[in-house]
Amino acid sequence: MIVFDNVCFSYKKGEQSLSNINLKVDDGEVVLVCGPSGCGKSTLVRCVNGLIPHFYEGELKGQITVNDIDVSKSTLRQLSKKVGTVFQNPRSQFFNVDTTSELAFGCENFGMPPEDIEESINHVVNKHDMSALMDRSIFKLSGGEKQKIACASIAVEPIDVIILDEPSANLDYKGICELQKMIEAWKDEGKTILIAEHRISYLFPYITRALLMEKGSVKKEFTSEEIRSLSKEELHDLGLRADDAKDPTKELDKSKTVTINKQTGISCEDSDKTGADEGYFVLKNMKYSYRGEKTVFDIPEIKIPKGEIIAIVGENGAGKSTFLRCLCGMERRCRAKLNKDGKELNNRKRRQNIYMVMQDVNHQLFTNSVIEEVMISQDKEDKDEALRILDSLDLKEFADRHPLSLSGGQKQRVAVASAIASGRDIILFDEPTSGLDYYHMLQVSEILKKLKEKGRTVIIVTHDSELIEKACTKSFILQK
């Protein structure tokens, strides 16, 4: 059982907090915690796994207990024997360089016998069809594959409580289906599960109730039947994502879609859709392989339409993020040329002409304040323009905050603001709406459309069907 008794929490620098939380979660419950970006979802679950107050400094009032353990008086080691967590950014919780060792790590810390560890790993791998992910380098996994390994690493441990923080953020449709099976298995085993999430419809078959948070408080509580009965419009009014989990490749307008084969380029049936060179950037001779492994890309030519918002879709592990890194010149071992307005751009020139917002935006937040983060992208610093950009993304009030002190969704929007401020003709986004609520997803889609109106070319790797429907004008399907 999890109990919050009049809990308040303020971060050390007065950042986002919790206010008067009174909550009881019974054993075996599956509770959804939802609400707008920055409402306190992640802060709430940090109180359960002990990161608050043992890692994140601040002022904690009230009492939190997990299976009769007082969180503030225990240690993280003691709590880890009861509570397992999958973070919004799974990369932050890995301790090993290969997947099999990562699954064994927690069990080894518990002092389990080697034969029991092996049996537990084999059980989880076979039950969830994960054999293809075993004995792989963590560094060569896609974001969605890392998320699966993070889920599996707590599934093998003998724990009672499971915390999931935005678990579907980087998953494709198939990955969400696999996550559903894992949640169902945990529920059948009697685990207590707390899930902080924006994309909520895929959870409806499993949750026992839902908590809607706003500004650090629980605004409303729904039974599972009540939240399932809400219409899309009602969910949107609450700031919640309402679309059912679906495969975006099946929903695309075929007249605006082409398929990319990683070894041949545009597929034969789509070749008539690419048009003449005028009005296109032409990517030529893209060759890339991981060191000592088979070729990932060997593409003779792809024509990228100018001034469009292009979605790149495909399964987790298809190479979508790698494609973006090769396109913008970040992968130094990639050989490719981009013909842009009659000029051939090599890797270095592409890095100068293309701006990319990464999937893990923590890699590109460098300064001590949000306003500085935006201005560092400008050719010539213009604070007034930077503030206007922040205002358009509901970030102006955070201008003087350290970027790393923000919530995941807020960091995502800071990275988008920096991209806008760069003024580049070609802007790449890798999952720009992961961790964003419905309102801010719409906000980002409107900004993308404004970039298009200014003649910029926007290329987005995404699994977000709502974003594709609202903003994207063309689509590339990257075959696995």
Side-chain angles (χ1 to χ4, degrees), residues 193-446:
I193 309 172
L194 205 58
I195 310 172
E197 182 64 287
H198 285 298
R199 299 161 73 179
I200 63 174
S201 61
Y202 77 95
L203 295 168
F204 287 170
Y206 315 105
I207 61 173
T208 53
R209 57 185 162 132
L211 308 175
L212 177 67
M213 294 195 67
E214 184 178 281
K215 296 181 179 178
S217 299
V218 177
K219 180 182 179 183
K220 190 169 182 178
E221 184 173 325
F222 298 90
T223 66
S224 57
E225 292 79 13
E226 286 172 340
I227 197 163
R228 279 198 296 264
S229 68
L230 295 178
S231 66
K232 276 190 176 184
E233 291 73 20
E234 289 171 321
L235 289 170
H236 288 165
D237 288 343
L238 295 173
L240 304 177
R241 307 293 291 269
D243 262 19
D244 295 330
K246 54 189 177 184
D247 184 352
T249 63
K250 301 292 194 295
E251 307 290 328
L252 299 173
D253 182 342
K254 300 303 180 185
S255 67
K256 299 177 181 178
T257 303
V258 297
T259 303
I260 300 176
N261 182 293
K262 292 189 289 187
Q263 270 65 54
T264 61
I266 300 292
S267 65
C268 295
E269 67 270 21
D270 294 320
S271 59
D272 61 329
K273 299 180 187 178
T274 57
D277 287 356
E278 187 177 349
Y280 289 81
F281 301 116
V282 183
L283 182 66
K284 296 182 178 180
N285 300 321
M286 176 186 276
K287 296 181 185 292
Y288 178 74
S289 60
Y290 294 115
R291 192 177 300 277
E293 296 189 13
K294 66 180 182 180
T295 300
V296 178
F297 296 114
D298 188 1
I299 301 175
E301 180 176 293
I302 297 176
K303 292 177 181 176
I304 302 171
K306 296 180 182 178
E308 302 285 356
I309 305 172
I310 305 164
I312 298 183
V313 300
E315 293 183 22
N316 286 132
K320 302 183 297 298
S321 297
T322 304
F323 179 82
L324 286 194
R325 293 197 302 271
C326 288
L327 177 58
C328 72
M330 288 176 60
E331 293 289 354
R332 296 180 184 274
R333 296 177 59 246
C334 173
R335 297 195 324 229
K337 299 282 187 181
L338 181 70
N339 189 306
K340 180 178 181 289
D341 302 326
K343 297 180 181 178
E344 294 252 315
L345 306 183
N346 59 18
N347 280 1
R348 183 175 63 82
K349 290 289 181 65
R350 293 202 305 282
R351 290 195 295 272
Q352 295 171 351
N353 282 267
I354 301 174
Y355 193 98
M356 179 174 171
V357 176
M358 301 178 191
Q359 188 171 14
D360 181 0
V361 296
N362 292 296
H363 288 313
Q364 58 188 125
L365 299 175
F366 304 109
T367 67
N368 292 321
S369 71
V370 169
I371 186 68
E372 290 174 349
E373 198 65 49
V374 177
M375 291 194 296
I376 200 175
S377 297
Q378 296 173 323
D379 289 335
K380 184 178 181 181
E381 286 192 1
D382 185 337
K383 187 173 182 178
D384 290 338
E385 175 62 17
L387 287 171
R388 281 193 289 273
I389 294 171
L390 290 175
D391 193 34
S392 72
L393 286 161
D394 290 339
L395 290 168
K396 190 174 181 179
E397 65 181 293
F398 304 112
D400 296 324
R401 284 265 296 271
H402 196 292
L404 296 180
S405 74
L406 303 178
S407 72
Q410 289 163 344
K411 289 179 193 174
Q412 198 79 25
R413 283 182 278 145
V414 171
V416 171
S418 298
I420 295 167
S422 73
R424 305 282 174 86
D425 292 336
I426 304 173
I427 304 179
L428 314 182
F429 294 94
D430 196 353
E431 297 287 359
T433 54
S434 66
L436 296 190
D437 57 35
Y438 180 72
Y439 171 73
H440 289 110
M441 181 278 295
L442 288 181
Q443 196 175 56
V444 169
S445 72
E446 289 302 313

Side-chain angles (χ1 to χ4, degrees), residues 140-182:
K140 294 179 181 177
L141 300 181
S142 70
E145 289 170 332
K146 289 174 183 173
Q147 194 80 319
K148 294 176 191 176
I149 292 298
C151 287
S153 69
I154 62 169
V156 300
E157 298 174 4
I159 54 177
D160 303 317
V161 179
I162 294 173
I163 304 295
L164 304 176
D165 192 359
E166 299 286 353
S168 72
N170 299 314
L171 295 182
D172 60 8
Y173 173 71
K174 182 181 177 182
I176 289 176
C177 292
E178 291 168 353
L179 176 61
Q180 286 177 307
K181 292 177 183 177
M182 197 166 281

Side-chain angles (χ1 to χ4, degrees), residues 7-10 18 47 52-53 58-64 71-72:
V7 172
C8 300
F9 180 76
S10 296
L18 298 178
C47 291
I52 291 175
E59 183 181 6
L60 176 66
K61 297 179 180 178
Q63 185 183 48
I64 308 142
V71 170
S72 64

